[in-house]
Amino acid sequence: MRAVEAGFETLSFVLRLKPGMEAEYRRRHDALWPEMRELLLASGIVHYEIGLHSGTNMLFAFIVRRLDHTMDRIPDHPVGQRWRAHMADILETVEGIVPRVEPLERMFVLSAGDKK
């Protein structure tokens, strides 16, 4: 899902957490490496949040990023590669350490600036 507003766009997707890994996922993100935080922010992300639907182990990610973002470079960056490897044992993956990411289609939006 993407929407362009005032120089920013949104992106949302789901990831699948392996069963029983909720606490470990939270622990790893609570201890986010400073260099990973810097990489995400430097790539143009201005807001990033992840929620868990515990009944299905689905992680819902929502990102606000600048239009000139460079998020597509994160997987090739050494820090991004280390993070993927660090998370691979607790996420469903494809091709080894690549997380299984499923983009979401925007179905509804309400904004304070809407005229309707």
Side-chain angles (χ1 to χ4, degrees):
M1 156 168 84
R2 292 183 178 189
V4 179
E5 290 182 32
F8 298 95
E9 66 182 0
T10 61
L11 172 68
S12 58
F13 55 91
V14 293
L15 301 148
R16 295 180 188 270
L17 187 62
K18 290 181 179 176
M21 292 293 144
E22 297 89 346
E24 182 60 18
Y25 186 88
R26 183 181 302 276
R27 186 191 70 74
R28 292 183 193 186
H29 280 79
D30 286 348
L32 183 68
W33 309 331
E35 60 270 34
M36 187 63 198
R37 180 182 189 279
E38 180 57 34
L39 179 61
L40 294 170
L41 295 173
S43 76
I45 295 172
V46 297
H47 181 86
Y48 192 167
E49 59 186 84
I50 301 170
L52 170 67
H53 183 266
S54 59
T56 61
N57 285 339
M58 298 292 285
L59 296 164
F60 172 81
F62 177 77
I63 294 173
V64 178
R65 62 189 183 185
R66 294 189 324 258
L67 292 177
D68 64 347
H69 73 88
T70 57
M71 279 183 59
D72 55 327
R73 296 183 193 159
I74 292 173
D76 297 325
H77 191 283
V79 173
Q81 292 174 354
R82 275 185 32 232
W83 184 258
R84 278 186 168 185
H86 179 59
M87 299 300 290
D89 63 323
I90 63 173
L91 292 172
E92 286 189 15
T93 60
V94 294
E95 301 174 21
I97 65 169
V98 178
R100 179 178 166 191
V101 176
E102 300 173 39
L104 295 174
E105 177 184 350
R106 172 178 270 181
M107 298 299 289
F108 174 78
V109 64
L110 173 68
S111 178
D114 290 346
K115 303 233 185 240
K116 295 181 181 183

